[in-house]
Amino acid sequence: MTAMNGMGRFQIAERMQRFVAKQRLSLLLVVFVSLSGFSLWLLLNSPEGRRWLAMWQARREEALNQRQFQDALAKDPPLGFPLKETGIAVNPERSLPILVVVLGRCEGCQERVALEWASTLSQWVTLRKAMKGVLVVQVGMGMQKASC
């Protein structure tokens, strides 16, 4: 009987080895997916994982802001750009330099900054004698111009 049990165990072990050899790829794939799912669960539910995700999101937003800034700089007109193309009236007899201040969208600071620039360009007599100022403010999707 013990010889029979030894033989039976040997056959079972041999069958197991053949089964595992045939299913090795599937077994490895199941283990990989299980460990990946567990790692993702840990990443989302642990404080360290949340910190990593927050750092990754901050870096992604910083890279996106940097790219948007570079795109905006690439679209800026070069120095010496003819202002007649923008619709700003230039008096050829008065050869004062022109300061163009362009304000884009800024949440919470648009009105304050625009008012400060408008008061600076209109109230400083010395500045007005030395140069002409143009304030361009982006409102929604359009642009508004004010000349001082």
Side-chain angles (χ1 to χ4, degrees), residues 1-140:
M1 185 104 172
T2 54
M4 190 73 133
N5 279 343
M7 189 74 126
R9 287 183 183 163
F10 179 72
Q11 287 176 349
I12 291 174
E14 187 178 312
R15 285 183 186 168
M16 255 330 216
Q17 281 181 341
R18 276 191 254 136
F19 177 75
V20 169
K22 289 179 184 175
Q23 302 296 326
R24 183 172 289 162
L25 182 62
S26 299
L27 181 64
L28 288 175
L29 186 62
V30 166
V31 169
F32 174 73
V33 169
S34 300
L35 288 176
S36 297
F38 182 68
S39 298
L40 184 62
W41 180 81
L42 279 177
L43 182 69
L44 294 174
N45 293 313
S46 69
E48 185 70 18
R50 289 183 185 156
R51 186 179 66 80
W52 274 10
L53 288 174
M55 284 175 41
W56 177 77
Q57 185 176 10
R59 285 183 184 164
R60 190 173 136 248
E61 287 177 2
E62 183 180 338
L64 181 63
N65 287 341
Q66 185 69 22
R67 188 176 326 130
Q68 288 175 344
F69 180 70
Q70 293 298 328
D71 290 344
L73 280 179
K75 293 177 185 175
D76 276 354
L79 289 175
F81 181 77
L83 289 177
K84 290 181 182 178
E85 292 180 18
T86 62
I88 297 172
V90 178
N91 187 355
E93 292 108 29
R94 194 170 167 206
S95 62
L96 291 177
I98 299 175
L99 173 66
V100 179
V101 180
V102 180
L103 299 173
R105 283 183 277 180
C106 173
E107 295 178 18
C109 65
Q110 179 73 19
E111 294 173 10
R112 179 183 49 83
V113 173
L115 287 174
E116 287 175 3
W117 271 107
S119 68
T120 300
L121 292 174
S122 65
Q123 293 176 1
W124 282 16
V125 177
T126 307
L127 182 67
R128 289 180 65 190
K129 288 179 183 176
M131 69 177 60
K132 181 176 179 169
V134 177
L135 181 61
V136 181
V137 181
Q138 183 176 2
V139 179

